[in-house]
Amino acid sequence: MTDVLGTPSGYRRWDWTTSEPDGWTAVDPRLPIVVEGCGALSRASAPLASFRVWLEADDATRWERSIRRDGEVFAREWERWAAQEATFIATEQPVSLADVVVRT
């Protein structure tokens, strides 16, 4: 989160094809920004956000949406990423940090 709001403000993209960091994308920290991802809401990032939303869906819905969006790249990584996500959620308790929880 400090990369996004620090100097210079921005983030490094990820190249899913090469599995390596890609180019830098600058953002204007004076403008509203949305930081999303299963690891975006943590105890470290929560105080930096003006509004925190946690989205929840059952596993079958999440799988279907993920595969529709990212295809086979995501399917190959699902088990590994799901385990990492479960560890993150157990450690960080992001739902308790959210201002709003949306169940889809």
Side-chain angles (χ1 to χ4, degrees), residues 41 46 49-54 94-102:
L41 183 54
S50 56
F51 191 71
R52 296 160 296 274
V53 179
W54 180 254
V95 72
S96 70
L97 302 170
D99 296 309
V100 173
V101 176
V102 178

Side-chain angles (χ1 to χ4, degrees), residues 2-13:
T2 55
D3 284 348
V4 174
L5 302 176
T7 303
S9 296
Y11 61 94
R12 184 158 310 282
R13 293 184 310 274

Side-chain angles (χ1 to χ4, degrees), residues 21-37:
D22 200 355
W24 178 260
T25 299
V27 297
D28 184 342
R30 298 169 297 176
L31 299 176
I33 60 172
V34 174
V35 179
E36 61 84 23

Side-chain angles (χ1 to χ4, degrees), residues 45 59 93 95 104:
S45 68
D59 287 344
Q93 303 284 315
V95 72
T104 66

